Amino acid sequence: MEMEKHIFTMLVDNQPGVLSRVAGLFSGKGFNIESLVTAETDTPLISRITIVTKANKPVIEQIEKQLNKLVNVIKIRDVTGPEAVKREMALICVKARPEHRGEILRIVDIFRCKIIDIGLEHYIMEVTGDSDKINALLKLLRPMGIKKIARTGTMALIREPN
Amino acid sequence: MKLTGSQIMMEVLKSEGVDTIFGFPGGAVLDIYDALDKTDIRHILVRHEQGAVHAADGYARASGKVGVCLVTSGPGATNTVTGIASSYMDSIPVVVITGQVPSHLIGNDAFQEVDIVGITRPCTKHNYLVSRIEDLAVILKEAFHLARTGRPGPVLVDIPKDLTSASIEFECPKDVRLKSYNPNYKPNMRQLKKVVQLIQEAKRPMIFSGGGVILANASKELTEFTHKTRMPLTSSLMGLGAFPGTDPLWLGMIGMHGTYRANMSTSECDLLISIGVRFDDRVTGKTDAFAAQANIVHIDIDPTSIRKNIPVSVPIVGDCKISLEQLNRLIDEIDLGDLSKRRGEWLDLIEQWKNTNPLAYTQDEIIKPQYVVEKLYELTGGEAIITTEVGQNQMWAAQYYHFNKPNHFITSGGLGCMGFGLPAAIGAQVACPDKMVVDIAGDGSIQMNSQEMATAVQFNLPVKIVILNNGYLGMVRQWQELFYEKRYACTSMEHCPDFVKLAEAYGAIGLRAVTPEEVSPVLKEGLSIPKPVIMDFTVAKEEGVYPMVPAGAPITEMLLV
């Protein structure tokens, strides 16, 4: 059966151990996690977790039901479709030899990144966008030499009805 | 009123109607035990914490109430894990209270410290570490609520020692509000109407019921539904007793050791109405071949059970009892015509299967284990509560004791936990002091929790233990015989204790039968003694459980030897 990528976003109780319940569910049942993002919401008692996973259709159905079954999961939505906006952020440290600096800055401009740290031999840039955009950027930067990278994984938020 | 954490616990337990606790004291729960001692709650002191959880499990199954355990931190807590996992697999409502080292020592590798909440996260319905005394009462209330509602299951509450002695102003919380937990009891009527439609159209319909029917207390409704529609019925191991095992529509158990007719019917039916089941691999065998000709209806309280293992045509999330009540009402509104005519051909075919391959064994000069179970059935009039260990003893109990009532067959179905039967029998006997409670055991598995004999004797619990003693870990030996060319690696119990003397050493009664003629007299005598009794039956060493479906094969591919 064909593997599908799905993005789930959920509101959970902001308590110790809740992330472990969610992550443990995935490891215990052999589900896959591509990325997982979590932080407190505007209400301190509630956190939002967004998970990107890949599986065939019946397993996706199970993942959603199993997450819903966790007592600390208040609400879960599959936000794979266009009803939600998705963003990921990455911090990329790229080698910046003098002969490459101009090219890197052009790429930064095109991708609307921000240089947030600069040294004799490197730039650290900040980029947000969907995962494809970040992957495309990385592809272009790779020839210059990527020293380090930190990615957040996908966050998602459902659009308000118009 | 100012109360200590321990006193608060007692108040909540009383408000939940708890009259019995199975437990084992220790350092971290001294204050709780001190408070418990001042209440009317009965405490059954087990000999191993695993036994406490199995006993609470047996108590819960026999009584329909929540079973409660109390153990100390560290090893006390880890010893409960097997029991908790067994209750989790079988959806049994149990609340396990574990002591924890004082809050300020948590994380310090303190004496008898273990992260039991972390350890039991995947095998509890939910669990808690209480971090503030203000939350204690609410959490305990939530624990009972979670354990008994929706799909029931074990809930663990870990309580640091300092909270049990600290005091606060106490008011018992009335209702439990969990914003994220709302089990759906009411089935969708449109889906139920589809089921009725399918019943009208089906030529070879049948029912497959499971433990969910017993948990939902829906045996009466199931029996009514079956009789109204005249559909033959099979059940999983966990479902035995929900429908009378002596009813003409009863097919016997389904699955790996199911009856020939139950497995054949499942394969040939065109409508399979599954109620309160979860399509375990021991039931389905090869899933692609399972009920391959049938429209499958699946009614269950837990949405995750549906389409987990088997694709279904009509999924229904709801309580088994309410769903069956509604189905019965809908069936009353339609005319199914002359059912004996309509089902005639289908039931005749099933009767043929029954006659060609019935459950059978030959009783010769050595006692056959099946014979012991049959005699036990006769002598108890089918009225006993039967618990089992795990393995051949469990399957023979399931096959040859015809369960006519729910809550009378108590077995570790999902986890398959050896050592379950004796403590579960103790729990069942506590719940039902006037019932005959018999643990059908093997010589291997009885040794996994035989220390609980002391508990039975101390608390005057007259449980009966029937050991089908074949000198082997019989079920594993059977697999070695069939699939490993009789290489009996490490399954021979070359040394067992003398079980008669073991019983006597505990202050119980021990009896033994070695010839078939002795079976009935020994059973009669043993069952008549109002004390714990071990009856040791020397049975045929290499008797197998049949039919048997090899693991992963379609359930129609049965070995019938």
Side-chain angles (χ1 to χ4, degrees), chain B residues 343-353:
Chain B
R343 300 272 183 264
E345 209 175 309
W346 175 224
L347 294 176
D348 284 349
L349 181 61
I350 290 169
E351 189 64 20
Q352 275 176 38
W353 287 325

PDB file of all heavy atoms in Angstrom, chain B residues 343-353:
ATOM      1  N   ARG B 343     -33.030 -20.212   7.931  1.00  0.00           N
ATOM      2  CA  ARG B 343     -31.686 -20.574   8.380  1.00  0.00           C
ATOM      3  C   ARG B 343     -31.396 -22.072   8.188  1.00  0.00           C
ATOM      4  O   ARG B 343     -30.297 -22.528   8.458  1.00  0.00           O
ATOM      5  CB  ARG B 343     -31.519 -20.255   9.866  1.00  0.00           C
ATOM      6  CG  ARG B 343     -31.707 -18.802  10.233  1.00  0.00           C
ATOM      7  CD  ARG B 343     -30.434 -18.015  10.116  1.00  0.00           C
ATOM      8  NE  ARG B 343     -30.642 -16.649  10.550  1.00  0.00           N
ATOM      9  CZ  ARG B 343     -30.902 -15.627   9.746  1.00  0.00           C
ATOM     10  NH1 ARG B 343     -30.952 -15.819   8.433  1.00  0.00           N
ATOM     11  NH2 ARG B 343     -31.091 -14.412  10.228  1.00  0.00           N
ATOM     12  N   GLY B 344     -32.446 -22.824   7.747  1.00  0.00           N
ATOM     13  CA  GLY B 344     -32.348 -24.278   7.725  1.00  0.00           C
ATOM     14  C   GLY B 344     -31.087 -24.808   7.070  1.00  0.00           C
ATOM     15  O   GLY B 344     -30.315 -25.545   7.679  1.00  0.00           O
ATOM     16  N   GLU B 345     -30.856 -24.372   5.843  1.00  0.00           N
ATOM     17  CA  GLU B 345     -29.739 -24.907   5.072  1.00  0.00           C
ATOM     18  C   GLU B 345     -28.400 -24.603   5.746  1.00  0.00           C
ATOM     19  O   GLU B 345     -27.521 -25.450   5.861  1.00  0.00           O
ATOM     20  CB  GLU B 345     -29.763 -24.254   3.684  1.00  0.00           C
ATOM     21  CG  GLU B 345     -29.195 -25.125   2.591  1.00  0.00           C
ATOM     22  CD  GLU B 345     -29.386 -24.447   1.234  1.00  0.00           C
ATOM     23  OE1 GLU B 345     -30.529 -24.035   0.923  1.00  0.00           O
ATOM     24  OE2 GLU B 345     -28.380 -24.299   0.528  1.00  0.00           O
ATOM     25  N   TRP B 346     -28.282 -23.364   6.209  1.00  0.00           N
ATOM     26  CA  TRP B 346     -27.050 -22.892   6.853  1.00  0.00           C
ATOM     27  C   TRP B 346     -26.795 -23.663   8.153  1.00  0.00           C
ATOM     28  O   TRP B 346     -25.709 -24.179   8.381  1.00  0.00           O
ATOM     29  CB  TRP B 346     -27.196 -21.395   7.088  1.00  0.00           C
ATOM     30  CG  TRP B 346     -26.122 -20.637   7.847  1.00  0.00           C
ATOM     31  CD1 TRP B 346     -26.354 -19.719   8.813  1.00  0.00           C
ATOM     32  CD2 TRP B 346     -24.703 -20.683   7.678  1.00  0.00           C
ATOM     33  NE1 TRP B 346     -25.173 -19.193   9.269  1.00  0.00           N
ATOM     34  CE2 TRP B 346     -24.141 -19.767   8.589  1.00  0.00           C
ATOM     35  CE3 TRP B 346     -23.834 -21.419   6.866  1.00  0.00           C
ATOM     36  CZ2 TRP B 346     -22.765 -19.551   8.703  1.00  0.00           C
ATOM     37  CZ3 TRP B 346     -22.457 -21.212   6.986  1.00  0.00           C
ATOM     38  CH2 TRP B 346     -21.946 -20.287   7.893  1.00  0.00           C
ATOM     39  N   LEU B 347     -27.832 -23.806   8.963  1.00  0.00           N
ATOM     40  CA  LEU B 347     -27.655 -24.512  10.235  1.00  0.00           C
ATOM     41  C   LEU B 347     -27.412 -26.006  10.013  1.00  0.00           C
ATOM     42  O   LEU B 347     -26.689 -26.648  10.781  1.00  0.00           O
ATOM     43  CB  LEU B 347     -28.855 -24.273  11.158  1.00  0.00           C
ATOM     44  CG  LEU B 347     -29.017 -22.812  11.638  1.00  0.00           C
ATOM     45  CD1 LEU B 347     -30.284 -22.644  12.458  1.00  0.00           C
ATOM     46  CD2 LEU B 347     -27.805 -22.341  12.432  1.00  0.00           C
ATOM     47  N   ASP B 348     -27.991 -26.543   8.943  1.00  0.00           N
ATOM     48  CA  ASP B 348     -27.742 -27.956   8.614  1.00  0.00           C
ATOM     49  C   ASP B 348     -26.276 -28.180   8.265  1.00  0.00           C
ATOM     50  O   ASP B 348     -25.659 -29.167   8.682  1.00  0.00           O
ATOM     51  CB  ASP B 348     -28.604 -28.400   7.425  1.00  0.00           C
ATOM     52  CG  ASP B 348     -30.053 -28.632   7.836  1.00  0.00           C
ATOM     53  OD1 ASP B 348     -30.303 -28.650   9.059  1.00  0.00           O
ATOM     54  OD2 ASP B 348     -30.912 -28.768   6.941  1.00  0.00           O
ATOM     55  N   LEU B 349     -25.751 -27.249   7.492  1.00  0.00           N
ATOM     56  CA  LEU B 349     -24.348 -27.352   7.092  1.00  0.00           C
ATOM     57  C   LEU B 349     -23.451 -27.329   8.335  1.00  0.00           C
ATOM     58  O   LEU B 349     -22.508 -28.130   8.473  1.00  0.00           O
ATOM     59  CB  LEU B 349     -24.000 -26.177   6.158  1.00  0.00           C
ATOM     60  CG  LEU B 349     -22.579 -26.110   5.610  1.00  0.00           C
ATOM     61  CD1 LEU B 349     -22.246 -27.326   4.778  1.00  0.00           C
ATOM     62  CD2 LEU B 349     -22.396 -24.840   4.761  1.00  0.00           C
ATOM     63  N   ILE B 350     -23.789 -26.448   9.259  1.00  0.00           N
ATOM     64  CA  ILE B 350     -23.011 -26.335  10.494  1.00  0.00           C
ATOM     65  C   ILE B 350     -23.117 -27.629  11.310  1.00  0.00           C
ATOM     66  O   ILE B 350     -22.136 -28.106  11.886  1.00  0.00           O
ATOM     67  CB  ILE B 350     -23.486 -25.109  11.307  1.00  0.00           C
ATOM     68  CG1 ILE B 350     -23.068 -23.819  10.570  1.00  0.00           C
ATOM     69  CG2 ILE B 350     -22.924 -25.114  12.719  1.00  0.00           C
ATOM     70  CD1 ILE B 350     -23.683 -22.550  11.112  1.00  0.00           C
ATOM     71  N   GLU B 351     -24.322 -28.176  11.324  1.00  0.00           N
ATOM     72  CA  GLU B 351     -24.543 -29.432  12.064  1.00  0.00           C
ATOM     73  C   GLU B 351     -23.659 -30.540  11.480  1.00  0.00           C
ATOM     74  O   GLU B 351     -23.081 -31.346  12.215  1.00  0.00           O
ATOM     75  CB  GLU B 351     -26.033 -29.804  11.972  1.00  0.00           C
ATOM     76  CG  GLU B 351     -26.461 -30.965  12.868  1.00  0.00           C
ATOM     77  CD  GLU B 351     -26.308 -30.673  14.350  1.00  0.00           C
ATOM     78  OE1 GLU B 351     -26.244 -29.478  14.731  1.00  0.00           O
ATOM     79  OE2 GLU B 351     -26.222 -31.648  15.131  1.00  0.00           O
ATOM     80  N   GLN B 352     -23.538 -30.530  10.144  1.00  0.00           N
ATOM     81  CA  GLN B 352     -22.663 -31.528   9.495  1.00  0.00           C
ATOM     82  C   GLN B 352     -21.219 -31.372   9.953  1.00  0.00           C
ATOM     83  O   GLN B 352     -20.528 -32.325  10.265  1.00  0.00           O
ATOM     84  CB  GLN B 352     -22.701 -31.350   7.981  1.00  0.00           C
ATOM     85  CG  GLN B 352     -23.846 -32.057   7.296  1.00  0.00           C
ATOM     86  CD  GLN B 352     -23.843 -31.726   5.803  1.00  0.00           C
ATOM     87  OE1 GLN B 352     -22.788 -31.619   5.176  1.00  0.00           O
ATOM     88  NE2 GLN B 352     -25.041 -31.556   5.257  1.00  0.00           N
ATOM     89  N   TRP B 353     -20.764 -30.107   9.985  1.00  0.00           N
ATOM     90  CA  TRP B 353     -19.389 -29.862  10.442  1.00  0.00           C
ATOM     91  C   TRP B 353     -19.216 -30.342  11.875  1.00  0.00           C
ATOM     92  O   TRP B 353     -18.199 -30.902  12.242  1.00  0.00           O
ATOM     93  CB  TRP B 353     -19.056 -28.364  10.368  1.00  0.00           C
ATOM     94  CG  TRP B 353     -18.850 -27.842   8.982  1.00  0.00           C
ATOM     95  CD1 TRP B 353     -18.280 -28.521   7.949  1.00  0.00           C
ATOM     96  CD2 TRP B 353     -19.187 -26.551   8.482  1.00  0.00           C
ATOM     97  NE1 TRP B 353     -18.242 -27.726   6.833  1.00  0.00           N
ATOM     98  CE2 TRP B 353     -18.784 -26.505   7.133  1.00  0.00           C
ATOM     99  CE3 TRP B 353     -19.791 -25.426   9.032  1.00  0.00           C
ATOM    100  CZ2 TRP B 353     -18.971 -25.382   6.335  1.00  0.00           C
ATOM    101  CZ3 TRP B 353     -19.960 -24.291   8.247  1.00  0.00           C
ATOM    102  CH2 TRP B 353     -19.562 -24.279   6.911  1.00  0.00           C
TER     103      TRP B 353
END
